[in-house]
Amino acid sequence: MNIALIGCQVLSREISYEVVASSHCIRTWWLRQGLHDTPDLLRRDVQKTIDAIEAENECLPEEKRFEIICLGYGLCSNGVIGLRARSLPLVIPRCDDCISLFLGSSERYLALFKQYAGCYWYNTGWIENAFTPSERSYQTRLEQYIEEYGEDNAEYLLEMENSWIKNYHHCCYIKSPVCERPEHETYTKEAAEHFGWEYHCEQGDNTFLHALLNGPWEESRFLTCPPGCRVAEEFTGKKFQALPVEEDL
């Protein structure tokens, strides 16, 4: 099977491992980390990529054409709501965000979410591609703010940015099953000590990502949105559903 995959850069190491190991022919399109902070931008950029893949597909020889588009995204702050498939089905894992994908299932994430109430998550993908709170990262940001806004304003801005920290009591490092980085685990331990959080470590699991790239795409774990349909909200725990586009008009 020829598969097109659109994924967040934060998942690049784990997904790339599965691409190499898969019996399917998979081509990937990476989007920058952090788009979930602005769901409208996430939706826009993913939809543009879907449209580009479908347009290119029409120009490919029949044997090279993609048969399906898989998304390396969960609900992601509702950023996938409204996405539309025109000529290829979309497959989306039924989860809130990438933490479930790193841990191997939504069920495991939910159990750990309850166990570590008020938890900030770290792993190699986030440390490499995102701003992760730590003494080092905040010192770097403070220096940037001083240069841009002056010392007094910089300290105030950083204090406002740090106000959320009081709501967290734990931090957890997810060890990648395909890419071990001891220095990132050390970085997380230092952050926990600096912020007064209780440190935890959990082994990552590629089970969910393996299923995303290889199938079968069971309805309980994945939404398959057929051509002519859009991704819509769903409120029974399945995260989202596929509805005909005309119902939105």
Side-chain angles (χ1 to χ4, degrees):
M1 175 180 284
N2 295 325
I3 297 174
L5 172 79
I6 305 171
C8 176
Q9 185 68 34
V10 78
L11 289 156
S12 61
R13 291 186 181 274
E14 286 73 16
I15 284 179
S16 295
Y17 176 88
E18 294 298 335
V19 169
V20 171
S22 178
S23 61
H24 300 306
C25 180
I26 304 172
R27 179 175 161 193
T28 57
W29 281 257
W30 299 113
L31 299 181
R32 67 177 177 86
Q33 187 279 339
L35 288 171
H36 66 278
D37 293 333
T38 313
D40 288 343
L41 290 182
L42 172 58
R43 185 179 306 108
R44 182 201 67 185
D45 286 2
V46 174
Q47 187 64 61
K48 284 174 60 178
T49 309
I50 291 169
D51 294 344
I53 291 169
E54 291 184 318
E56 180 180 335
N57 213 37
E58 296 179 2
C59 304
L60 295 175
E62 185 173 352
E63 69 277 8
K64 301 293 185 183
R65 289 179 183 171
F66 300 110
E67 300 164 64
I68 201 162
I69 300 175
C70 295
L71 300 187
Y73 288 93
L75 190 59
C76 293
S77 304
N78 281 341
V80 301
I81 300 300
L83 294 177
R84 299 185 177 192
R86 293 178 172 83
S87 60
L88 291 171
L90 306 177
V91 173
I92 311 173
R94 294 190 187 275
C95 58
D96 288 308
D97 52 41
C98 61
I99 299 176
S100 294
L101 297 175
F102 283 122
L103 290 172
S105 72
S106 294
E107 293 77 13
R108 186 182 178 202
Y109 177 33
L110 179 60
L112 291 173
F113 180 82
K114 293 177 180 178
Q115 182 178 347
Y116 305 144
C119 183
Y120 199 96
W121 298 86
Y122 292 75
N123 78 344
T124 287
W126 293 315
I127 293 171
E128 289 180 336
N129 294 284
F131 177 87
T132 50
S134 72
E135 185 176 12
R136 280 183 271 170
S137 63
Y138 277 120
Q139 182 58 41
T140 299
R141 180 159 285 186
L142 178 61
E143 292 171 0
Q144 293 172 343
Y145 283 176
I146 289 174
E147 184 176 340
E148 293 180 28
Y149 306 111
E151 188 168 350
D152 291 341
N153 290 331
E155 291 178 356
Y156 174 77
L157 288 171
L158 203 58
E159 182 180 345
M160 292 299 99
E161 283 190 6
N162 288 350
S163 62
W164 59 270
I165 290 174
K166 65 180 181 293
N167 298 320
Y168 287 77
H169 309 287
H170 303 265
C171 81
C172 185
Y173 179 74
I174 304 174
K175 284 189 175 182
S176 173
V178 304
C179 176
E180 187 56 51
R181 289 291 185 272
E183 67 273 21
H184 292 162
E185 188 172 359
T186 299
Y187 175 93
T188 306
K189 289 178 180 178
E190 292 174 351
E193 183 177 358
H194 178 69
F195 294 118
W197 295 335
E198 185 175 340
Y199 173 80
H200 307 275
C201 183
E202 293 286 339
Q203 180 61 49
D205 185 341
N206 255 29
T207 299
F208 211 167
L209 287 172
H210 178 83
L212 173 64
L213 271 68
N214 293 277
W217 296 288
E218 299 98 337
E219 196 272 341
S220 60
R221 289 202 293 167
F222 299 95
L223 170 70
T224 300
C225 183
C229 291
R230 63 180 176 90
V231 180
E233 293 176 301
E234 206 275 347
F235 302 102
T236 68
K238 292 183 176 180
K239 310 299 180 187
F240 28 64
Q241 61 183 320
L243 293 178
V245 169
E246 54 264 30
E247 289 191 13
D248 195 34
L249 300 178

